Amino acid sequence: MSTVLTFRELPYARENLATVLSTTGAIGDDGVVVTDATLFYPHGGGQPGDQGVFITADGRTLAVRDTRKGDNGEVHHLLDPADAREYRLEVGQSVTQQIDWARRHAHMRMHTALHLLSVVVPHGVTGGSIGAERGRLDFDLGDASFDKDELTERLNALIAADYPVTSEWISEAELDARPELVKTMSVAPPRGAGEIRMVRIGDVDYQPCGGTHVASTAEIGAIQVASIKNRGARNRRFTLTWAETPGGGK
């Protein structure tokens, strides 16, 4: 049975009740738990898997140290090995899922900022990753060059414009008819379900994406292009970090 992706429709939910469908120890020493629904985003698209806890009805707290995609639409919650050995969840048992919200929200902000980076650097994306403190995209630039201070200014202008961030679904055939919407050169959107999830940022960006995002660009906060580095003859790596305030904070 596949896991209902509650985080997709409720990206701001921090806590939810779920039912255990299966428990194994298949991935290393972790306890792998599958539930009927999940608030935990599984690693994919450059965005890390969520962390957090499961809380049982009798008050036990079990740490979820990573979340991964399983087979047949399952989401695998990887419990801390010590917790998995001490307390084994049972099929049919209810647990309260609580995500590490501060970490997830940082991922949502950074992921949305990287979408805007692909707007101000209009070249093919060859790779990327998202973190709570920094994120990066690699671009196939050819002979093009960019100034990081100018890009920082342009990015923060887009953020301050407070564009709404929404999602919708289109058919695979519709995406095939508009190949320019796919910015990634080496990774194609997942197919097979018949529909593709699209993320729209106002009238400035529209592309397939399965990750989590903030509701408006202003929520991202001030950002800066920390570096632009060569990663081969044509590739350049653009790294974003949160902007530092004069007092040294964020």
Side-chain angles (χ1 to χ4, degrees), residues 28 58 68 74 88 91 109 148 176 199 210 218 225-226:
D58 59 1
R68 297 279 171 165
E74 292 181 348
R88 186 171 182 84
V91 173
R109 293 165 58 212
K148 66 179 184 179
D176 289 339
V199 171
V225 180

Side-chain angles (χ1 to χ4, degrees), residues 134-147:
R134 63 182 55 237
R136 64 155 175 96
L137 285 180
D138 298 344
F139 292 93
D140 181 6
L141 290 191
D143 296 328
S145 62
F146 291 87
D147 178 78

Side-chain angles (χ1 to χ4, degrees), residues 50-115:
D50 278 334
Q51 298 173 349
V53 296
F54 283 176
I55 303 173
T56 65
D58 59 1
R60 291 179 179 266
T61 299
L62 310 175
V64 179
R65 68 176 190 174
D66 199 2
T67 311
R68 297 279 171 165
K69 296 176 182 177
D71 296 328
N72 302 316
E74 292 181 348
V75 173
H76 289 176
H77 307 88
L78 278 58
L79 298 189
D80 180 88
D83 288 346
R85 287 192 296 269
E86 180 180 347
Y87 184 89
R88 186 171 182 84
L89 292 169
E90 301 294 336
V91 173
Q93 184 174 353
S94 293
V95 292
T96 298
Q97 300 175 333
Q98 288 183 352
I99 62 172
D100 181 339
W101 173 248
R103 180 174 180 268
R104 155 72 87 74
H105 191 229
H107 290 163
M108 292 164 65
R109 293 165 58 212
M110 183 59 73
H111 198 156
T112 311
L114 290 174
H115 277 233

